[in-house]
Amino acid sequence: MMRGRNQGARMANAASVNEGRRVEELHSYQILDTAFDRSYDELVALVASLCGVPMAAISLIDEHRQWFKAQVGFQVRETPREISFCTHTIRQDGLFVLEDASLNPDFSKNLLLVNSNLRFYAGYPLTTPNGLNIGSLCILDSVPRQLTEVMAKTLPVIARTVMTQLELHRSHNRLAESLQVQNGQEKKLRSVNQQLETLINHVHRGIIAENEDGLVDFANDLFCEMFQLRKGEVIGNSGAGVLEKCSHFFSAPSRPESLLAGELRKPVLNEELILRDGRVLERDRIPLEILGFYNGQVWIFRDVSEKRRMQAVIEEQQLRIAETAKLTALGEMAGALAHEINNPMAIIQGRIDHLLELAQSSELTRAEVITYAEIIRGVVKRVTKIVSGLRSFSRDGEGDPPEFILVQDLILDTLVFCREKFKSHGVELKVHSIADDVRVLCSQVHISQVLLNLLNNAFDAVENQSVKKVEVSAVVSKTHVEISVEDNGPGLSKSAQEKLFTPFFTTKKVGRGTGLGLCISKRIMDLHSGHLDLVTSPGQTIFTLRLPLRYQ
């Protein structure tokens, strides 16, 4: 007969058991296929003794088998699930009892019954805190039996004890895993910290870190070397105290107090510190916050002495390059400038010769002297203007203060250098009307250099055109003066536009340009708070100088 406690096995929760969750829960205990454990062995021996049966077991049911964690009275460690009596137990809320399995048609042909001659079975499910039955505590016998009151009371109590033992096992495993993970993380953290400390000790920065209490808890080797300190003089001391020890290195105005000034939570970047031995340091102070709470700060010191020296060398080289580019621009105009001077000189020579002839023939009148003198004076004035422009243009002009210069004079004085060249090569140079009362605050030498460079580029751009045109114009707005140089050359490709202001890039033939003109021109415009703009398309290129309009 098959019955549960009180003459009937309750099957109420059978349909509701989630097999996937149940098996997952079983595996979470990590108990399957583990070695014999005395604590479990003693529990099955106890239940067999109390119930007066020869066989007892703790059975765990996974997807395909029942596995015995502990057993007494037989040696088998596992059986297929389909012949397991305990499979039926885990579908119950309480006891599952077979007083004589041979009399029950559902079990009479069970291989376990046939091969082992089992008759009596009583099992109680092992239920997890989540309400899932993962196995059973069972008692067995080879002869039929009736369930006694002792059996009915003993099995649930010992089953709960088994579950307590399993919970302890799982907790121990989880704790062990947690400790293993923690140990692994600590090991990784130690490794990372070692790597980080090694890295920090090899970067070219002096670094100290101060905690929220104002005490230095880290200093790398370079910081100690910078200020000739031992780590024992730094670690564990206050940040203010450490900086006080460094004070004799600093020269005014880099007083040590400046290192401490300012709000703690405001970062300070690239603060320059001058040392008495001539070194130049840059210092960053970076506050650290965790969840909005101040957690200390890090100071980073960089020795930029060599960087500053190299910057000075680079700036000097840039000045030389700019001067070379300016002289190159003049060199391109040299032939035309010689013509501009030679023509007036020829006029002067001719007039003087004619005056001498008239004087020798006694035919020279006062009116003729005045006429010739006026002509010669005009020509001399023209030559003087050219020479004066050359002298101004060839000057360095780097230290000159900016002056208010008439835009008209700026353009016309620059055009003196290139009019003849344009004329002799058939380039139509058109200068639009320019207001004679607009002034810009600038370095005339440098802006003339930019304008002359644009005029030279325009000349080269139209050189192979059948019709050659270059136009110069000036437009005044409320805030800026825009001086434009426009040519009807082929225009510039997109790739050329992207590289146009890059040093040493040129679209000209080899030997025709240094590739520095536009780069230097852009730098000059930046120094004047202006812009150098480009608009280009096939058949048209316009470069525009935009200078801010200021009033005297």
Side-chain angles (χ1 to χ4, degrees), residues 410-465:
L410 185 65
I411 294 174
L412 295 180
D413 288 353
T414 305
L415 288 173
V416 166
F417 301 127
C418 58
R419 279 188 185 275
E420 187 60 34
K421 177 181 177 180
F422 278 56
K423 181 180 177 182
S424 63
H425 285 81
V427 178
E428 180 185 341
L429 178 60
K430 183 176 181 180
V431 181
H432 293 273
S433 177
I434 302 167
D436 59 5
D437 60 348
V438 179
R439 296 175 183 270
V440 288
L441 184 64
C442 68
S443 166
Q444 184 173 4
V445 171
H446 290 136
I447 299 303
S448 291
Q449 179 181 350
V450 175
L451 187 54
L452 183 60
N453 181 66
L454 297 182
L455 287 164
N456 274 336
N457 288 346
F459 176 87
D460 292 336
V462 302
E463 187 175 19
N464 296 321
Q465 302 296 103

Side-chain angles (χ1 to χ4, degrees), residues 357-385:
E357 290 176 5
L358 291 175
Q360 290 171 356
S361 64
S362 301
E363 297 178 359
L364 184 63
T365 66
R366 184 171 180 276
E368 287 175 319
V369 171
I370 292 173
T371 299
Y372 282 115
E374 289 291 343
I375 292 172
I376 291 171
R377 184 167 66 179
V379 173
V380 169
K381 186 176 180 181
R382 180 182 171 190
V383 173
T384 300
K385 187 175 181 66

